[in-house]
Amino acid sequence: MEQYEPERLSAPQLAAMRRSLTNGRGALTRRSLLRASGTAALALGGLGALSACGIPPAEREGDAAASDDHSAAEKRINFSNWTEYMDVSEDEKSRPTLDAFTKRTGIEVKYTEDINDNVEFFGKIKPQLAAGQDTGRDLVIVTDWLAARIIRLGWAQKLDHANLPHAFANLSAQFRRPDWDPGRAYSYPWTGIPTVIAYNEKATGGRKVDSVTQLLDDPALKGKVSFLSEMRDSVGMTLLDMGKDPGTFTDADFDAAIGRMQKGVDTKQIRRFTGNDYTADLSKGDIAACVAWAGDIIQLQADNPAIKFSIPPAGYITSSDNMLVPAHARHKTNAEKLMDYYYELPVAAQLAAYINYVCPVDGVAGELAKIDESMASNTLILPDKAMAAKSRAFRSLSSEEETAYEEKFAKLIGA
């Protein structure tokens, strides 16, 4: 397993990062949906800067850079999270689930909403991590690609699953085995992030759209189709439609997916590649159907009942936000107790009811229904078994692969 990547980010990687931060997931607020995806985003304050400054990789102690655990003597946790990613009371003066945890365990939680972007946050913590120092945080939540990097660099502590009985038992099957953290040795998901197909049924004449094949081949949709400007989402969904697994695809598979979409561009079937700005066109009907982020669709449906979504028979792409204990954190056991707490069914339901993202906790439907029956039946928040079985993750890429793939994708979309 590589310790670090000394090369600077390539021009295609940098371009993908800028594209994502300008109008892709990186440009969106926490509630609107997500952030920059892919390793290219590390250009700002990232690994290129590490190698340029000559900072050595963290030393590994078997599986992680560990530190003395002061949990028994110091009943506290420093928890960094995204904004609006935790339940709050109606008067907005308290955080019910965190307060209940403290009341039960006596562990005080210093909760800080200091993550606005993966790149920016990594820039805050990397100097301490690289120097083998405590970041001042015991628990952080980062998106899967950044979690993968932190783990690979030896900057996350290996979890003690004896402290995580609920998490181990209740983690949904679709999140159990990411290729960047097999068996969830270092991380547990906070939420899941689906990429689906969305359509405006008024614009489609009442017809359902549920496959990339329809998007690319249906003449009735010509000029009213959009794909996302995030490579992993658009290529991943196309690979699935072609019968390829995004978790194991080859260079030839990738090229075939690019060629498939290129035909859609050449025939003007595809109107454009977009970031989150597809939402306005979809609501108006200028875009009839598209590859979309599920969080956007939940919000659009609240104002426009004509907006629908579908899960392709071939499957869909899912990414995740994940809880990690940074290397040299002082309160690892306390952090593990808090991680496990959010996998208890009533607690998981309370959190899911507030944040409205995919809940990674299996068996939570009954508890969520007690709070809001409509949420319990919304498969964009709580996937049923059939939907969960269709979830696929885009595999981790080497720096060389990402450079080559982003270059080809940028040419496709005219970036």
Side-chain angles (χ1 to χ4, degrees):
M1 184 177 290
E2 62 185 314
Q3 295 280 319
Y4 73 120
E5 296 166 317
E7 72 279 359
R8 293 178 182 273
L9 294 178
S10 64
Q13 288 174 309
L14 288 168
M17 177 273 293
R18 293 190 187 101
R19 188 169 64 243
S20 185
L21 293 177
T22 300
N23 73 342
R25 284 199 264 183
L28 303 175
T29 65
R30 181 68 255 169
R31 298 285 281 183
S32 296
L33 199 67
L34 300 160
R35 284 93 50 211
S37 65
T39 54
L42 280 171
L44 298 180
L47 294 179
L50 275 181
S51 58
C53 295
I55 299 175
E59 292 185 3
R60 284 188 174 280
E61 297 180 17
D63 290 302
S67 66
D68 292 336
D69 189 353
H70 301 269
S71 292
E74 301 174 0
K75 294 291 187 179
R76 60 179 180 269
I77 303 169
N78 294 319
F79 182 5
S80 285
N81 202 350
W82 298 78
T83 59
E84 299 186 72
Y85 221 15
M86 178 67 72
D87 58 299
V88 298
S89 61
E90 290 187 8
D91 62 9
E92 299 186 353
K93 293 182 179 180
S94 64
R95 301 189 181 278
T97 57
L98 286 178
D99 293 346
F101 173 79
T102 296
K103 184 176 180 180
R104 181 201 294 184
T105 64
I107 299 171
E108 296 287 338
V109 182
K110 180 182 178 182
Y111 183 76
T112 308
E113 294 179 320
D114 62 344
I115 307 179
N116 297 302
D117 175 88
N118 283 296
V119 176
E120 178 187 54
F121 182 68
F122 187 72
K124 291 180 183 179
I125 64 175
K126 75 173 176 62
Q128 292 94 343
L129 291 172
Q133 299 171 355
D134 179 12
T135 66
R137 299 166 175 86
D138 302 301
L139 187 64
V140 301
I141 293 180
V142 294
T143 305
D144 46 17
W145 63 266
L146 181 53
R149 283 291 182 95
I150 291 173
I151 291 168
R152 186 165 66 237
L153 286 161
W155 292 347
Q157 295 197 48
K158 191 170 185 179
L159 301 174
D160 182 352
H161 287 281
N163 295 327
L164 296 157
H166 296 96
F168 185 81
N170 295 336
L171 177 61
S172 296
Q174 73 182 98
F175 296 104
R176 282 189 176 272
R177 296 176 180 85
D179 66 350
W180 48 270
D181 186 16
R184 291 289 179 180
Y186 298 91
S187 69
Y188 269 90
W190 184 253
T191 53
I193 306 158
T195 300
V196 299
I197 290 178
Y199 60 99
N200 183 322
E201 65 177 359
K202 287 185 178 180
T204 65
R207 294 169 59 242
K208 181 179 182 179
V209 180
D210 67 354
S211 71
V212 169
T213 292
Q214 279 180 275
L215 293 178
L216 292 174
D217 294 343
D218 187 342
L221 298 177
K222 185 174 181 177
K224 292 188 174 183
V225 168
S226 69
F227 279 67
L228 293 168
S229 58
E230 298 281 356
M231 182 264 288
R232 286 165 175 76
D233 296 299
S234 288
V235 173
M237 292 291 281
T238 304
L239 284 167
L240 283 167
D241 189 74
M242 297 170 62
K244 303 297 182 179
D245 185 349
T248 60
F249 68 89
T250 65
D251 287 348
D253 296 332
F254 183 89
D255 289 345
I258 291 291
R260 182 91 171 88
M261 286 185 284
Q262 184 66 60
K263 181 180 178 181
V265 172
D266 294 342
T267 61
K268 301 190 185 304
Q269 179 79 8
I270 297 176
R271 183 186 185 98
R272 61 193 181 102
F273 289 82
T274 75
N276 62 304
D277 52 328
Y278 70 89
T279 55
D281 285 345
L282 181 62
S283 288
K284 290 186 296 184
D286 292 340
I287 289 175
C290 59
V291 176
W293 292 310
D296 288 338
I297 304 311
I298 293 174
Q299 295 174 45
L300 291 176
Q301 287 178 326
D303 298 319
N304 187 345
I307 303 301
K308 307 294 182 182
F309 79 93
S310 62
I311 302 301
Y316 66 102
I317 295 292
T318 300
S319 55
S320 59
D321 282 340
N322 306 273
M323 297 179 279
L324 294 174
V325 179
H328 305 289
R330 289 180 62 86
H331 310 111
K332 175 175 177 284
T333 298
N334 291 345
E336 290 168 338
K337 289 179 179 178
L338 184 61
M339 293 170 70
D340 192 63
Y341 170 73
Y342 279 101
Y343 274 78
E344 295 180 18
L345 300 186
V347 181
Q350 192 169 348
L351 180 66
Y354 181 80
I355 64 176
N356 293 175
Y357 287 86
V358 169
C359 180
V361 182
D362 198 23
V364 78
E367 294 293 335
L368 188 55
K370 295 176 184 178
I371 301 171
D372 188 323
E373 290 186 3
S374 66
M375 288 186 180
S377 61
N378 188 333
T379 53
L380 293 182
I381 297 173
L382 200 62
D384 56 24
K385 289 184 178 180
M387 179 174 170
K390 294 179 180 179
S391 171
R392 297 291 184 271
F394 199 95
R395 69 172 173 83
S396 299
L397 301 178
S398 68
S399 184
E400 292 79 9
E401 285 178 320
E402 183 161 17
T403 294
Y405 293 169
E406 287 291 3
E407 186 171 19
K408 292 174 182 178
F409 188 69
K411 183 178 179 180
L412 167 72
I413 69 177

